[in-house]
Amino acid sequence: MALYTDIVMKHFMTPSNVGSIENPSGVGEVGNAKCGDIMKIYLKIEDNIIKDVKFETFGCASAIASSSMATELVMGKTVEEALAVTNAQVVAALGGLPAHKLHCSVLAEEAIRSAIKDYYDQNGIAYDPALFPAFDEEEDENEEGVRMV
Ligand code: FES
């Protein structure tokens, strides 16, 4: 059986929403200290709706596919709906990930949440801090084997 589903391969080879957004409403950058992968998500939010979302990921195929799928899942959603997107939903939408690659999807969930937190902070919007557990924002980890998108 193939390690990756066709959906993962498609989102790895031709990812959606790659890039950055000028004057974003919120930016989230998270990293995994163990593998060194880094994911950055940009959000454009108008009237509480995610009008645009882009990503830059220095990471493995699963991280890139997870980023791509996560951006598709939150596009057009309300901020609250985007906040409710979990890594399990990302994995399900990808048709599954190998067990040792599940942390790549966690990075996608965290990057979205981190970008929303930044949006809240920038706009003085009150929120429950419990919604945002501490993220690992290490940027200078080992970048061995990284692939830039
Ligand atoms: Fe660490 Fe994929 S994000 S190996």
Side-chain angles (χ1 to χ4, degrees), residues 10-43:
K10 175 179 168 284
H11 280 269
F12 169 54
M13 301 299 284
T14 55
S16 307
N17 305 309
V18 175
S20 59
I21 294 176
E22 240 180 87
N23 302 317
S25 311
V27 179
E29 182 169 329
V30 295
N32 182 294
K34 282 210 180 96
C35 65
D37 290 356
I38 297 166
M39 197 178 288
K40 194 166 182 178
I41 295 267
Y42 301 79
L43 296 175

PDB file of all heavy atoms in Angstrom, residues 10-43:
ATOM      1  N   LYS A  10      -1.477  14.942  -4.477  1.00  0.00           N
ATOM      2  CA  LYS A  10      -1.960  16.086  -5.271  1.00  0.00           C
ATOM      3  C   LYS A  10      -1.656  17.399  -4.551  1.00  0.00           C
ATOM      4  O   LYS A  10      -1.167  18.351  -5.160  1.00  0.00           O
ATOM      5  CB  LYS A  10      -3.478  15.950  -5.502  1.00  0.00           C
ATOM      6  CG  LYS A  10      -4.116  17.127  -6.204  1.00  0.00           C
ATOM      7  CD  LYS A  10      -5.607  16.908  -6.416  1.00  0.00           C
ATOM      8  CE  LYS A  10      -6.290  18.190  -6.842  1.00  0.00           C
ATOM      9  NZ  LYS A  10      -6.496  19.152  -5.743  1.00  0.00           N
ATOM     10  N   HIS A  11      -1.915  17.443  -3.245  1.00  0.00           N
ATOM     11  CA  HIS A  11      -1.690  18.687  -2.490  1.00  0.00           C
ATOM     12  C   HIS A  11      -0.209  18.963  -2.259  1.00  0.00           C
ATOM     13  O   HIS A  11       0.179  20.101  -2.011  1.00  0.00           O
ATOM     14  CB  HIS A  11      -2.456  18.651  -1.164  1.00  0.00           C
ATOM     15  CG  HIS A  11      -3.902  18.979  -1.335  1.00  0.00           C
ATOM     16  ND1 HIS A  11      -4.399  20.256  -1.237  1.00  0.00           N
ATOM     17  CD2 HIS A  11      -4.951  18.181  -1.650  1.00  0.00           C
ATOM     18  CE1 HIS A  11      -5.698  20.233  -1.467  1.00  0.00           C
ATOM     19  NE2 HIS A  11      -6.054  18.984  -1.721  1.00  0.00           N
ATOM     20  N   PHE A  12       0.604  17.910  -2.353  1.00  0.00           N
ATOM     21  CA  PHE A  12       2.053  18.104  -2.254  1.00  0.00           C
ATOM     22  C   PHE A  12       2.608  18.617  -3.587  1.00  0.00           C
ATOM     23  O   PHE A  12       3.371  19.583  -3.637  1.00  0.00           O
ATOM     24  CB  PHE A  12       2.737  16.803  -1.857  1.00  0.00           C
ATOM     25  CG  PHE A  12       4.228  16.834  -1.993  1.00  0.00           C
ATOM     26  CD1 PHE A  12       4.980  17.826  -1.381  1.00  0.00           C
ATOM     27  CD2 PHE A  12       4.886  15.867  -2.739  1.00  0.00           C
ATOM     28  CE1 PHE A  12       6.371  17.866  -1.508  1.00  0.00           C
ATOM     29  CE2 PHE A  12       6.271  15.900  -2.879  1.00  0.00           C
ATOM     30  CZ  PHE A  12       7.005  16.898  -2.266  1.00  0.00           C
ATOM     31  N   MET A  13       2.171  17.979  -4.676  1.00  0.00           N
ATOM     32  CA  MET A  13       2.712  18.329  -5.995  1.00  0.00           C
ATOM     33  C   MET A  13       2.151  19.660  -6.502  1.00  0.00           C
ATOM     34  O   MET A  13       2.867  20.434  -7.125  1.00  0.00           O
ATOM     35  CB  MET A  13       2.385  17.227  -7.016  1.00  0.00           C
ATOM     36  CG  MET A  13       2.932  15.855  -6.646  1.00  0.00           C
ATOM     37  SD  MET A  13       4.727  15.809  -6.514  1.00  0.00           S
ATOM     38  CE  MET A  13       5.187  15.799  -8.232  1.00  0.00           C
ATOM     39  N   THR A  14       0.873  19.901  -6.263  1.00  0.00           N
ATOM     40  CA  THR A  14       0.236  21.138  -6.745  1.00  0.00           C
ATOM     41  C   THR A  14      -0.571  21.769  -5.606  1.00  0.00           C
ATOM     42  O   THR A  14      -1.801  21.776  -5.629  1.00  0.00           O
ATOM     43  CB  THR A  14      -0.691  20.863  -7.950  1.00  0.00           C
ATOM     44  OG1 THR A  14      -1.642  19.854  -7.566  1.00  0.00           O
ATOM     45  CG2 THR A  14       0.073  20.392  -9.158  1.00  0.00           C
ATOM     46  N   PRO A  15       0.117  22.275  -4.609  1.00  0.00           N
ATOM     47  CA  PRO A  15      -0.588  22.812  -3.430  1.00  0.00           C
ATOM     48  C   PRO A  15      -1.425  24.056  -3.756  1.00  0.00           C
ATOM     49  O   PRO A  15      -1.083  24.820  -4.659  1.00  0.00           O
ATOM     50  CB  PRO A  15       0.547  23.151  -2.460  1.00  0.00           C
ATOM     51  CG  PRO A  15       1.781  23.219  -3.280  1.00  0.00           C
ATOM     52  CD  PRO A  15       1.582  22.387  -4.487  1.00  0.00           C
ATOM     53  N   SER A  16      -2.493  24.218  -3.003  1.00  0.00           N
ATOM     54  CA  SER A  16      -3.357  25.395  -3.144  1.00  0.00           C
ATOM     55  C   SER A  16      -2.865  26.496  -2.215  1.00  0.00           C
ATOM     56  O   SER A  16      -2.348  26.222  -1.126  1.00  0.00           O
ATOM     57  CB  SER A  16      -4.796  25.050  -2.729  1.00  0.00           C
ATOM     58  OG  SER A  16      -5.263  23.918  -3.408  1.00  0.00           O
ATOM     59  N   ASN A  17      -3.084  27.729  -2.639  1.00  0.00           N
ATOM     60  CA  ASN A  17      -2.890  28.904  -1.768  1.00  0.00           C
ATOM     61  C   ASN A  17      -1.460  29.071  -1.240  1.00  0.00           C
ATOM     62  O   ASN A  17      -1.257  29.422  -0.079  1.00  0.00           O
ATOM     63  CB  ASN A  17      -3.876  28.851  -0.594  1.00  0.00           C
ATOM     64  CG  ASN A  17      -5.309  28.714  -1.066  1.00  0.00           C
ATOM     65  OD1 ASN A  17      -5.749  29.466  -1.911  1.00  0.00           O
ATOM     66  ND2 ASN A  17      -6.031  27.729  -0.533  1.00  0.00           N
ATOM     67  N   VAL A  18      -0.507  28.806  -2.111  1.00  0.00           N
ATOM     68  CA  VAL A  18       0.899  29.028  -1.731  1.00  0.00           C
ATOM     69  C   VAL A  18       1.233  30.510  -1.859  1.00  0.00           C
ATOM     70  O   VAL A  18       0.804  31.157  -2.809  1.00  0.00           O
ATOM     71  CB  VAL A  18       1.839  28.225  -2.651  1.00  0.00           C
ATOM     72  CG1 VAL A  18       3.300  28.548  -2.331  1.00  0.00           C
ATOM     73  CG2 VAL A  18       1.591  26.757  -2.512  1.00  0.00           C
ATOM     74  N   GLY A  19       1.976  31.035  -0.904  1.00  0.00           N
ATOM     75  CA  GLY A  19       2.450  32.408  -1.010  1.00  0.00           C
ATOM     76  C   GLY A  19       2.156  33.202   0.233  1.00  0.00           C
ATOM     77  O   GLY A  19       1.956  32.640   1.311  1.00  0.00           O
ATOM     78  N   SER A  20       2.147  34.519   0.069  1.00  0.00           N
ATOM     79  CA  SER A  20       1.907  35.396   1.211  1.00  0.00           C
ATOM     80  C   SER A  20       0.822  36.398   0.838  1.00  0.00           C
ATOM     81  O   SER A  20       0.415  36.480  -0.324  1.00  0.00           O
ATOM     82  CB  SER A  20       3.197  36.112   1.603  1.00  0.00           C
ATOM     83  OG  SER A  20       3.666  36.872   0.512  1.00  0.00           O
ATOM     84  N   ILE A  21       0.372  37.159   1.816  1.00  0.00           N
ATOM     85  CA  ILE A  21      -0.655  38.184   1.600  1.00  0.00           C
ATOM     86  C   ILE A  21      -0.091  39.518   2.073  1.00  0.00           C
ATOM     87  O   ILE A  21       0.467  39.600   3.173  1.00  0.00           O
ATOM     88  CB  ILE A  21      -1.941  37.845   2.385  1.00  0.00           C
ATOM     89  CG1 ILE A  21      -2.588  36.573   1.820  1.00  0.00           C
ATOM     90  CG2 ILE A  21      -2.922  39.013   2.356  1.00  0.00           C
ATOM     91  CD1 ILE A  21      -3.807  36.108   2.603  1.00  0.00           C
ATOM     92  N   GLU A  22      -0.228  40.519   1.240  1.00  0.00           N
ATOM     93  CA  GLU A  22       0.212  41.857   1.641  1.00  0.00           C
ATOM     94  C   GLU A  22      -0.759  42.428   2.659  1.00  0.00           C
ATOM     95  O   GLU A  22      -1.975  42.277   2.505  1.00  0.00           O
ATOM     96  CB  GLU A  22       0.250  42.764   0.401  1.00  0.00           C
ATOM     97  CG  GLU A  22       1.633  43.314   0.119  1.00  0.00           C
ATOM     98  CD  GLU A  22       1.652  44.197  -1.092  1.00  0.00           C
ATOM     99  OE1 GLU A  22       1.383  45.395  -0.939  1.00  0.00           O
ATOM    100  OE2 GLU A  22       1.921  43.658  -2.180  1.00  0.00           O
ATOM    101  N   ASN A  23      -0.256  43.071   3.663  1.00  0.00           N
ATOM    102  CA  ASN A  23      -1.093  43.628   4.728  1.00  0.00           C
ATOM    103  C   ASN A  23      -2.096  42.614   5.264  1.00  0.00           C
ATOM    104  O   ASN A  23      -3.306  42.836   5.223  1.00  0.00           O
ATOM    105  CB  ASN A  23      -1.848  44.869   4.228  1.00  0.00           C
ATOM    106  CG  ASN A  23      -0.903  45.930   3.717  1.00  0.00           C
ATOM    107  OD1 ASN A  23       0.119  46.191   4.339  1.00  0.00           O
ATOM    108  ND2 ASN A  23      -1.211  46.496   2.569  1.00  0.00           N
ATOM    109  N   PRO A  24      -1.625  41.500   5.742  1.00  0.00           N
ATOM    110  CA  PRO A  24      -2.548  40.467   6.237  1.00  0.00           C
ATOM    111  C   PRO A  24      -3.249  40.908   7.524  1.00  0.00           C
ATOM    112  O   PRO A  24      -2.739  41.755   8.263  1.00  0.00           O
ATOM    113  CB  PRO A  24      -1.613  39.277   6.527  1.00  0.00           C
ATOM    114  CG  PRO A  24      -0.292  39.907   6.807  1.00  0.00           C
ATOM    115  CD  PRO A  24      -0.222  41.135   5.948  1.00  0.00           C
ATOM    116  N   SER A  25      -4.404  40.318   7.767  1.00  0.00           N
ATOM    117  CA  SER A  25      -5.133  40.597   9.013  1.00  0.00           C
ATOM    118  C   SER A  25      -4.495  39.853  10.174  1.00  0.00           C
ATOM    119  O   SER A  25      -4.629  40.258  11.329  1.00  0.00           O
ATOM    120  CB  SER A  25      -6.588  40.157   8.879  1.00  0.00           C
ATOM    121  OG  SER A  25      -7.158  40.637   7.700  1.00  0.00           O
ATOM    122  N   GLY A  26      -3.846  38.751   9.855  1.00  0.00           N
ATOM    123  CA  GLY A  26      -3.193  37.963  10.884  1.00  0.00           C
ATOM    124  C   GLY A  26      -2.189  37.023  10.258  1.00  0.00           C
ATOM    125  O   GLY A  26      -2.398  36.546   9.136  1.00  0.00           O
ATOM    126  N   VAL A  27      -1.095  36.791  10.968  1.00  0.00           N
ATOM    127  CA  VAL A  27      -0.058  35.863  10.496  1.00  0.00           C
ATOM    128  C   VAL A  27       0.279  34.906  11.632  1.00  0.00           C
ATOM    129  O   VAL A  27       0.421  35.327  12.776  1.00  0.00           O
ATOM    130  CB  VAL A  27       1.233  36.611  10.088  1.00  0.00           C
ATOM    131  CG1 VAL A  27       2.293  35.625   9.624  1.00  0.00           C
ATOM    132  CG2 VAL A  27       0.947  37.630   9.005  1.00  0.00           C
ATOM    133  N   GLY A  28       0.390  33.649  11.290  1.00  0.00           N
ATOM    134  CA  GLY A  28       0.783  32.665  12.289  1.00  0.00           C
ATOM    135  C   GLY A  28       1.963  31.869  11.790  1.00  0.00           C
ATOM    136  O   GLY A  28       1.966  31.397  10.651  1.00  0.00           O
ATOM    137  N   GLU A  29       2.981  31.753  12.633  1.00  0.00           N
ATOM    138  CA  GLU A  29       4.151  30.955  12.255  1.00  0.00           C
ATOM    139  C   GLU A  29       4.438  29.978  13.376  1.00  0.00           C
ATOM    140  O   GLU A  29       4.576  30.380  14.528  1.00  0.00           O
ATOM    141  CB  GLU A  29       5.356  31.858  11.995  1.00  0.00           C
ATOM    142  CG  GLU A  29       6.565  31.054  11.546  1.00  0.00           C
ATOM    143  CD  GLU A  29       7.691  31.937  11.022  1.00  0.00           C
ATOM    144  OE1 GLU A  29       7.411  33.006  10.469  1.00  0.00           O
ATOM    145  OE2 GLU A  29       8.848  31.540  11.185  1.00  0.00           O
ATOM    146  N   VAL A  30       4.498  28.722  13.013  1.00  0.00           N
ATOM    147  CA  VAL A  30       4.781  27.698  14.024  1.00  0.00           C
ATOM    148  C   VAL A  30       5.835  26.744  13.468  1.00  0.00           C
ATOM    149  O   VAL A  30       6.058  26.674  12.266  1.00  0.00           O
ATOM    150  CB  VAL A  30       3.505  26.894  14.392  1.00  0.00           C
ATOM    151  CG1 VAL A  30       2.479  27.788  15.073  1.00  0.00           C
ATOM    152  CG2 VAL A  30       2.911  26.208  13.178  1.00  0.00           C
ATOM    153  N   GLY A  31       6.476  26.050  14.383  1.00  0.00           N
ATOM    154  CA  GLY A  31       7.489  25.096  13.968  1.00  0.00           C
ATOM    155  C   GLY A  31       7.470  23.876  14.853  1.00  0.00           C
ATOM    156  O   GLY A  31       6.919  23.899  15.951  1.00  0.00           O
ATOM    157  N   ASN A  32       8.035  22.823  14.332  1.00  0.00           N
ATOM    158  CA  ASN A  32       8.187  21.616  15.135  1.00  0.00           C
ATOM    159  C   ASN A  32       9.672  21.465  15.450  1.00  0.00           C
ATOM    160  O   ASN A  32      10.491  21.306  14.541  1.00  0.00           O
ATOM    161  CB  ASN A  32       7.656  20.398  14.362  1.00  0.00           C
ATOM    162  CG  ASN A  32       7.756  19.129  15.187  1.00  0.00           C
ATOM    163  OD1 ASN A  32       8.854  18.675  15.505  1.00  0.00           O
ATOM    164  ND2 ASN A  32       6.619  18.570  15.542  1.00  0.00           N
ATOM    165  N   ALA A  33       9.998  21.538  16.716  1.00  0.00           N
ATOM    166  CA  ALA A  33      11.402  21.546  17.119  1.00  0.00           C
ATOM    167  C   ALA A  33      12.105  20.251  16.739  1.00  0.00           C
ATOM    168  O   ALA A  33      13.309  20.246  16.481  1.00  0.00           O
ATOM    169  CB  ALA A  33      11.503  21.789  18.618  1.00  0.00           C
ATOM    170  N   LYS A  34      11.371  19.136  16.690  1.00  0.00           N
ATOM    171  CA  LYS A  34      12.010  17.842  16.412  1.00  0.00           C
ATOM    172  C   LYS A  34      12.430  17.716  14.950  1.00  0.00           C
ATOM    173  O   LYS A  34      13.547  17.352  14.642  1.00  0.00           O
ATOM    174  CB  LYS A  34      11.057  16.709  16.781  1.00  0.00           C
ATOM    175  CG  LYS A  34      10.991  16.442  18.267  1.00  0.00           C
ATOM    176  CD  LYS A  34      10.693  14.962  18.540  1.00  0.00           C
ATOM    177  CE  LYS A  34      10.632  14.698  20.027  1.00  0.00           C
ATOM    178  NZ  LYS A  34       9.265  14.719  20.546  1.00  0.00           N
ATOM    179  N   CYS A  35      11.488  18.007  14.040  1.00  0.00           N
ATOM    180  CA  CYS A  35      11.818  17.809  12.621  1.00  0.00           C
ATOM    181  C   CYS A  35      12.339  19.089  11.986  1.00  0.00           C
ATOM    182  O   CYS A  35      12.893  19.061  10.896  1.00  0.00           O
ATOM    183  CB  CYS A  35      10.606  17.306  11.855  1.00  0.00           C
ATOM    184  SG  CYS A  35       9.248  18.481  11.787  1.00  0.00           S
ATOM    185  N   GLY A  36      12.112  20.233  12.650  1.00  0.00           N
ATOM    186  CA  GLY A  36      12.616  21.493  12.123  1.00  0.00           C
ATOM    187  C   GLY A  36      11.730  22.137  11.079  1.00  0.00           C
ATOM    188  O   GLY A  36      12.094  23.160  10.507  1.00  0.00           O
ATOM    189  N   ASP A  37      10.576  21.542  10.807  1.00  0.00           N
ATOM    190  CA  ASP A  37       9.697  22.115   9.788  1.00  0.00           C
ATOM    191  C   ASP A  37       8.998  23.364  10.318  1.00  0.00           C
ATOM    192  O   ASP A  37       8.681  23.455  11.506  1.00  0.00           O
ATOM    193  CB  ASP A  37       8.651  21.079   9.356  1.00  0.00           C
ATOM    194  CG  ASP A  37       9.294  19.946   8.561  1.00  0.00           C
ATOM    195  OD1 ASP A  37      10.504  20.029   8.305  1.00  0.00           O
ATOM    196  OD2 ASP A  37       8.578  19.005   8.207  1.00  0.00           O
ATOM    197  N   ILE A  38       8.781  24.302   9.412  1.00  0.00           N
ATOM    198  CA  ILE A  38       8.176  25.588   9.785  1.00  0.00           C
ATOM    199  C   ILE A  38       7.015  25.893   8.842  1.00  0.00           C
ATOM    200  O   ILE A  38       7.119  25.682   7.631  1.00  0.00           O
ATOM    201  CB  ILE A  38       9.213  26.726   9.686  1.00  0.00           C
ATOM    202  CG1 ILE A  38      10.358  26.488  10.676  1.00  0.00           C
ATOM    203  CG2 ILE A  38       8.562  28.075   9.967  1.00  0.00           C
ATOM    204  CD1 ILE A  38      11.557  27.372  10.406  1.00  0.00           C
ATOM    205  N   MET A  39       5.942  26.390   9.403  1.00  0.00           N
ATOM    206  CA  MET A  39       4.752  26.703   8.610  1.00  0.00           C
ATOM    207  C   MET A  39       4.273  28.109   8.962  1.00  0.00           C
ATOM    208  O   MET A  39       4.197  28.465  10.130  1.00  0.00           O
ATOM    209  CB  MET A  39       3.667  25.690   8.963  1.00  0.00           C
ATOM    210  CG  MET A  39       2.541  25.609   7.982  1.00  0.00           C
ATOM    211  SD  MET A  39       1.374  24.321   8.496  1.00  0.00           S
ATOM    212  CE  MET A  39       2.267  22.812   8.149  1.00  0.00           C
ATOM    213  N   LYS A  40       3.980  28.868   7.919  1.00  0.00           N
ATOM    214  CA  LYS A  40       3.512  30.238   8.123  1.00  0.00           C
ATOM    215  C   LYS A  40       2.200  30.418   7.376  1.00  0.00           C
ATOM    216  O   LYS A  40       2.113  30.069   6.189  1.00  0.00           O
ATOM    217  CB  LYS A  40       4.570  31.213   7.589  1.00  0.00           C
ATOM    218  CG  LYS A  40       4.387  32.637   8.025  1.00  0.00           C
ATOM    219  CD  LYS A  40       5.665  33.416   7.721  1.00  0.00           C
ATOM    220  CE  LYS A  40       5.570  34.855   8.192  1.00  0.00           C
ATOM    221  NZ  LYS A  40       6.814  35.605   7.945  1.00  0.00           N
ATOM    222  N   ILE A  41       1.203  30.935   8.055  1.00  0.00           N
ATOM    223  CA  ILE A  41      -0.126  31.140   7.451  1.00  0.00           C
ATOM    224  C   ILE A  41      -0.486  32.620   7.507  1.00  0.00           C
ATOM    225  O   ILE A  41      -0.310  33.269   8.544  1.00  0.00           O
ATOM    226  CB  ILE A  41      -1.212  30.340   8.222  1.00  0.00           C
ATOM    227  CG1 ILE A  41      -0.976  28.840   8.103  1.00  0.00           C
ATOM    228  CG2 ILE A  41      -2.614  30.751   7.783  1.00  0.00           C
ATOM    229  CD1 ILE A  41      -1.693  28.135   6.994  1.00  0.00           C
ATOM    230  N   TYR A  42      -0.978  33.129   6.392  1.00  0.00           N
ATOM    231  CA  TYR A  42      -1.429  34.520   6.306  1.00  0.00           C
ATOM    232  C   TYR A  42      -2.939  34.520   6.113  1.00  0.00           C
ATOM    233  O   TYR A  42      -3.458  33.765   5.277  1.00  0.00           O
ATOM    234  CB  TYR A  42      -0.819  35.216   5.086  1.00  0.00           C
ATOM    235  CG  TYR A  42       0.688  35.262   5.042  1.00  0.00           C
ATOM    236  CD1 TYR A  42       1.425  34.145   4.643  1.00  0.00           C
ATOM    237  CD2 TYR A  42       1.375  36.419   5.366  1.00  0.00           C
ATOM    238  CE1 TYR A  42       2.811  34.195   4.584  1.00  0.00           C
ATOM    239  CE2 TYR A  42       2.763  36.482   5.303  1.00  0.00           C
ATOM    240  CZ  TYR A  42       3.471  35.361   4.911  1.00  0.00           C
ATOM    241  OH  TYR A  42       4.841  35.404   4.850  1.00  0.00           O
ATOM    242  N   LEU A  43      -3.629  35.390   6.835  1.00  0.00           N
ATOM    243  CA  LEU A  43      -5.091  35.488   6.702  1.00  0.00           C
ATOM    244  C   LEU A  43      -5.491  36.903   6.315  1.00  0.00           C
ATOM    245  O   LEU A  43      -4.941  37.879   6.824  1.00  0.00           O
ATOM    246  CB  LEU A  43      -5.777  35.158   8.030  1.00  0.00           C
ATOM    247  CG  LEU A  43      -5.624  33.754   8.591  1.00  0.00           C
ATOM    248  CD1 LEU A  43      -6.278  33.694   9.966  1.00  0.00           C
ATOM    249  CD2 LEU A  43      -6.257  32.726   7.659  1.00  0.00           C
TER     250      LEU A  43
END
